Amino acid sequence: MSNATWRDLGIVTVLSLIGIWGFAPAFGNAGFLLAGIGGVVVGTAAGYLSHRYRLNAFVTALGAIVAYFIVGSALAMPGHALFGVLPTLTTLRGLALGAVFGWADIVTLAAPVGAPDYITVQPYVAGWLVGLVSAVLVLRWMPRHDRTPGRLAVLLIGPVVLYVLGVLIGTQTPFLANLRGIAFALIALVWLGWRKGSAQNASLSERKGLNKNKVIGTAIIAVAAVLVTGLAGSALVPTPESRFVLRDEVVPPFDPQDYPSPLGGFRKYTKDLGESELLTVSGIKAADKIRLAVMDTYDGRLWDVAGPEAQTGGSGSFSLVGETMPETPLLTSKSSRTIDVSVESYSGVWLPVVGYPTELTLPTEPEDKTQDLRYNAATATTVLTSGVDKGYRYSFTTDVQDSYSDDALKNVPTADVTLPAVDRVPDVVAAKAAEYVGTATTPIGQLREIERQLKVNGFLSHGLASDAVPSRAGHGADRIEELFTRNQMIGDEEQFAAAFALMARSLGYPARVVMGFAPKNVDEGAAVTITGEDVTAWVEVPFEGVGWISFAPTPDEKEIPQDQNPKPKTEPQPQVRQPPRAEKQAEDLLTNVDINDSDDDKKDDDAFALPGWLVAILWVVGIPLVLYLVPLFIIAALKSRRRTRRREAATADARAAGAWDETLDSYAELGYTVPAAGTRGMVARDLGTQVGTTAILDREKTDASPTDPETASDLLTRLAHGADEAVFSGVDAPNDRVDELWQASEHSSRIAASAVGWWRRQLSKFRISSRSSGAKPKTAPTARTSKRTRGTSKK
């Protein structure tokens, strides 16, 4: 490979790295640089090996993909790689998913993007692809064509794509636009100017003049680029508002954090919509509950639906779905329902459903909202981002979680599910949880004891004027602490469900709060009207192999004793701080509880789990791929070593004879019958006859190719005569003449390969000619013979 080719490859690589640098605004940290630079290096190395061992397009692609997965773990996902280097199921999964689905994440999530874990695969796969294509163009495509400016400019396509891609996935704020733009343009223009043309045929004085002109032209280009960019750049760079970036044009995924917590509006239903008809539902049974949303994160103010940045195994993300819903994890169901819903006074984005829907049909008239449907399979929370209004109708088929007795769950542990953390939980919650569980030791026993204590010791009040005792709304840390520290526990489903879930979390159980409706007086087969009085909230906890089990800790409606005034106690309570009613910082109101709710010491099964179908594909495709590539690369290396040894022999006659021997070996590997004896001319005619007298054109034009098409017989005859001349003439053949013989050898071998079928060409890659061990035509002189002949001639 010439020095000029190495320079071309180096220039293209540098320009690609400048393009990768432009990914910085989308990621915000330097981790993407390792992935991007590594991707360019891996792709370029794969392209070089393809050139080095003369691999075809199919094998080149397979080898590059294997290198992508093997090296990508250390470059793109080192945090999940074994010892930071070796691939794991998590990294292989991330490299596959990131290459396909990561582009949607990077333009729909807010910058800087920190999740999901495979997001850094984007600069890696982009650099890998551009590096591979650029290396193949520089090393294998460019040497076969004249180096015109147009063809040289083709090599800039990959780096330009990376540069533009960095702008498209970036932000409204330009990232080092002047510096990167000047550097990219200057390097590209100077390279094109110096690479064009040649002064090899000029005299020494003419060469000096041409080089002087190139130096002056280069200096003018550099100064002009700096001046134009520096002086006029500020006027030409578009304002941030007019910059085109994809994240501003693509609709982002549904973020529940953009909407108020459903549980925070609980009292609206009991106070303002108590008598209002919200929904008309048909197809439900007496024990069915209608769910609106599942809340799995708590920040000291509200139970809320986790946002995209906090998605875990128990919450998942809201996905764009069609009529068929994704499969729900941890669900055991033997019964299903077909339910029709008609919206009356209800409005909002949370679509009421029952159980875990499997199919959902939305109307297309008068307005088609199917593109607005989002679904969270882990929580069965359904969202219609455009919302529903009065008169909207939809239907769905759903699976209902089976019910289990406490005896059936006595020896069943809670499922290993990770939920978002809960923060700023009052100390009294953990203290009361420890008190309520008493002597119970099993998960179901402890949870049922907490549920029973809340129901027995608590009193129901919605805070209405008709209630005997007032009840303050909300479920923030101060309200939860008030629930346990006043003379009586007074509240409704909002407070008791929130408190129960926090108490379960303090014991290490993954609990979440569900808000919805529990219709009364259900007549199976008839339509049921849902009103605001039917609003409720409950808690769900997952059990291993069973599913999410419901707990209803809210007390039944009963008379509240009037001889006890539910005011704060006047006696001091040194162990529990009473929250002041005035506005203060959250840190002054709360004492954090160290709840071990993280997943640091648990195995993240979901992160390492691969779908069964993907595992099957990896086994079916991966094993044959390894069995194919390993021997292929070994044999290719042996052939390359053989060819190099012959081409770099010590004497010209040995190199010329080596060109002839390499041709015979390539023909033998392609399945042609090489005569065991005969002169080179006789062997050439025999092989030419086998290939065919019809001219088979080699479409890959080389610098040494003649103007008129040659048949295999023509090339073999020319090669045989040239080898005989170099061996028997007694005069060292010029290096140019030997190079022509090697080029004729390669050209002849390509013609011979094109004359056979595809399978025969593939088999030739796994063959090493027996001639390589020393068997040669009897009259084909070796290098030693040629030396002896020259000695006789001189005498």
Side-chain angles (χ1 to χ4, degrees), residues 660 675-683 724 727-728 776-782 785:
W660 172 256
T679 65
R680 288 191 177 95
M682 295 169 58
V683 174
D724 284 341
V727 171
F728 292 113
K776 299 179 182 178
K778 293 181 179 179
T779 60
T782 62
T785 304

CSV table of all heavy atoms in Angstrom, one decimal, residues 660 675-683 724 727-728 776-782 785:
chain,number,residue,atom,x,y,z
A,660,TRP,N,4.1,-16.7,-11.6
A,660,TRP,CA,3.5,-17.8,-12.3
A,660,TRP,C,3.0,-18.9,-11.4
A,660,TRP,O,1.9,-19.4,-11.5
A,660,TRP,CB,4.6,-18.4,-13.3
A,660,TRP,CG,4.2,-19.6,-14.0
A,660,TRP,CD1,4.6,-20.9,-13.7
A,660,TRP,CD2,3.3,-19.8,-15.0
A,660,TRP,NE1,4.0,-21.8,-14.5
A,660,TRP,CE2,3.2,-21.1,-15.3
A,660,TRP,CE3,2.5,-18.9,-15.8
A,660,TRP,CZ2,2.4,-21.6,-16.3
A,660,TRP,CZ3,1.7,-19.4,-16.8
A,660,TRP,CH2,1.6,-20.7,-17.1
A,675,PRO,N,-1.9,-29.0,-15.3
A,675,PRO,CA,-1.0,-30.1,-15.7
A,675,PRO,C,0.2,-30.3,-14.8
A,675,PRO,O,0.8,-29.3,-14.4
A,675,PRO,CB,-0.6,-29.7,-17.2
A,675,PRO,CG,-1.7,-28.8,-17.6
A,675,PRO,CD,-2.1,-28.0,-16.4
A,676,ALA,N,0.6,-31.5,-14.6
A,676,ALA,CA,1.7,-31.8,-13.7
A,676,ALA,C,3.0,-31.6,-14.4
A,676,ALA,O,4.1,-31.5,-13.7
A,676,ALA,CB,1.6,-33.2,-13.1
A,677,ALA,N,3.0,-31.6,-15.7
A,677,ALA,CA,4.3,-31.5,-16.5
A,677,ALA,C,4.0,-30.7,-17.7
A,677,ALA,O,2.9,-30.6,-18.2
A,677,ALA,CB,4.9,-32.9,-16.8
A,678,GLY,N,5.1,-30.1,-18.3
A,678,GLY,CA,4.9,-29.3,-19.5
A,678,GLY,C,5.6,-27.9,-19.3
A,678,GLY,O,5.8,-27.5,-18.2
A,679,THR,N,5.8,-27.3,-20.4
A,679,THR,CA,6.4,-25.9,-20.4
A,679,THR,C,5.3,-25.0,-19.9
A,679,THR,O,4.1,-25.3,-19.9
A,679,THR,CB,6.9,-25.5,-21.7
A,679,THR,OG1,5.8,-25.4,-22.6
A,679,THR,CG2,7.9,-26.5,-22.3
A,680,ARG,N,5.7,-23.8,-19.5
A,680,ARG,CA,4.8,-22.8,-19.1
A,680,ARG,C,3.8,-22.4,-20.2
A,680,ARG,O,2.6,-22.2,-20.0
A,680,ARG,CB,5.5,-21.5,-18.6
A,680,ARG,CG,6.3,-21.7,-17.3
A,680,ARG,CD,6.7,-20.3,-16.8
A,680,ARG,NE,7.4,-20.5,-15.5
A,680,ARG,CZ,8.7,-20.6,-15.3
A,680,ARG,NH1,9.5,-20.6,-16.4
A,680,ARG,NH2,9.2,-20.7,-14.1
A,681,GLY,N,4.3,-22.4,-21.5
A,681,GLY,CA,3.4,-22.1,-22.6
A,681,GLY,C,2.4,-23.2,-22.8
A,681,GLY,O,1.2,-22.9,-23.0
A,682,MET,N,2.8,-24.4,-22.6
A,682,MET,CA,1.8,-25.5,-22.8
A,682,MET,C,0.8,-25.5,-21.6
A,682,MET,O,-0.4,-25.6,-21.9
A,682,MET,CB,2.5,-26.9,-22.7
A,682,MET,CG,3.5,-27.1,-23.9
A,682,MET,SD,4.6,-28.5,-23.7
A,682,MET,CE,3.3,-29.8,-23.4
A,683,VAL,N,1.2,-25.2,-20.4
A,683,VAL,CA,0.3,-25.1,-19.3
A,683,VAL,C,-0.7,-24.0,-19.5
A,683,VAL,O,-1.9,-24.0,-19.2
A,683,VAL,CB,1.1,-25.0,-18.0
A,683,VAL,CG1,0.1,-24.7,-16.8
A,683,VAL,CG2,1.9,-26.2,-17.7
A,724,ASP,N,9.2,-16.9,-18.4
A,724,ASP,CA,10.3,-17.6,-19.0
A,724,ASP,C,11.5,-16.6,-19.3
A,724,ASP,O,12.7,-16.9,-19.1
A,724,ASP,CB,9.9,-18.2,-20.3
A,724,ASP,CG,9.1,-19.5,-20.0
A,724,ASP,OD1,9.2,-20.0,-18.9
A,724,ASP,OD2,8.3,-20.0,-20.9
A,727,VAL,N,13.4,-15.7,-16.2
A,727,VAL,CA,14.1,-16.8,-15.6
A,727,VAL,C,15.3,-17.2,-16.5
A,727,VAL,O,16.4,-17.4,-16.0
A,727,VAL,CB,13.2,-18.0,-15.3
A,727,VAL,CG1,14.0,-19.2,-14.9
A,727,VAL,CG2,12.1,-17.6,-14.3
A,728,PHE,N,15.1,-17.2,-17.8
A,728,PHE,CA,16.1,-17.8,-18.7
A,728,PHE,C,17.0,-16.8,-19.3
A,728,PHE,O,18.0,-17.1,-20.0
A,728,PHE,CB,15.5,-18.7,-19.7
A,728,PHE,CG,14.8,-19.9,-19.2
A,728,PHE,CD1,13.5,-20.1,-19.2
A,728,PHE,CD2,15.6,-20.9,-18.7
A,728,PHE,CE1,12.9,-21.2,-18.7
A,728,PHE,CE2,15.0,-22.1,-18.1
A,728,PHE,CZ,13.6,-22.2,-18.2
A,776,LYS,N,5.5,-29.0,-8.8
A,776,LYS,CA,5.5,-28.0,-9.9
A,776,LYS,C,5.7,-28.7,-11.2
A,776,LYS,O,6.2,-29.8,-11.3
A,776,LYS,CB,6.6,-27.0,-9.7
A,776,LYS,CG,6.5,-26.2,-8.4
A,776,LYS,CD,7.6,-25.2,-8.2
A,776,LYS,CE,7.5,-24.4,-6.9
A,776,LYS,NZ,8.6,-23.5,-6.7
A,777,PRO,N,5.3,-28.1,-12.3
A,777,PRO,CA,5.6,-28.7,-13.6
A,777,PRO,C,7.1,-28.9,-13.7
A,777,PRO,O,8.0,-28.2,-13.3
A,777,PRO,CB,5.2,-27.6,-14.6
A,777,PRO,CG,4.1,-26.8,-13.8
A,777,PRO,CD,4.6,-26.8,-12.4
A,778,LYS,N,7.4,-30.0,-14.4
A,778,LYS,CA,8.8,-30.5,-14.4
A,778,LYS,C,9.7,-29.5,-15.1
A,778,LYS,O,10.9,-29.3,-14.8
A,778,LYS,CB,8.9,-31.8,-15.2
A,778,LYS,CG,8.2,-32.9,-14.4
A,778,LYS,CD,8.3,-34.2,-15.2
A,778,LYS,CE,7.7,-35.4,-14.4
A,778,LYS,NZ,7.8,-36.7,-15.2
A,779,THR,N,9.2,-28.8,-16.1
A,779,THR,CA,10.1,-27.9,-16.8
A,779,THR,C,10.0,-26.4,-16.3
A,779,THR,O,10.6,-25.6,-16.9
A,779,THR,CB,9.7,-27.9,-18.3
A,779,THR,OG1,8.4,-27.4,-18.4
A,779,THR,CG2,9.9,-29.2,-18.9
A,780,ALA,N,9.3,-26.2,-15.3
A,780,ALA,CA,9.2,-24.9,-14.7
A,780,ALA,C,10.4,-24.6,-13.8
A,780,ALA,O,10.5,-25.2,-12.7
A,780,ALA,CB,7.9,-24.7,-13.9
A,781,PRO,N,11.4,-23.9,-14.2
A,781,PRO,CA,12.7,-23.7,-13.5
A,781,PRO,C,12.4,-23.0,-12.2
A,781,PRO,O,11.6,-22.1,-12.1
A,781,PRO,CB,13.6,-22.9,-14.4
A,781,PRO,CG,12.9,-23.0,-15.7
A,781,PRO,CD,11.5,-23.1,-15.5
A,782,THR,N,13.2,-23.3,-11.2
A,782,THR,CA,13.1,-22.6,-9.9
A,782,THR,C,14.1,-21.5,-9.9
A,782,THR,O,14.9,-21.3,-10.9
A,782,THR,CB,13.5,-23.6,-8.8
A,782,THR,OG1,14.8,-24.1,-9.0
A,782,THR,CG2,12.5,-24.7,-8.7
A,785,THR,N,17.6,-22.8,-10.5
A,785,THR,CA,17.9,-23.2,-11.9
A,785,THR,C,18.2,-21.9,-12.7
A,785,THR,O,19.1,-21.9,-13.5
A,785,THR,CB,16.7,-23.9,-12.5
A,785,THR,OG1,16.4,-25.0,-11.7
A,785,THR,CG2,17.0,-24.3,-13.9
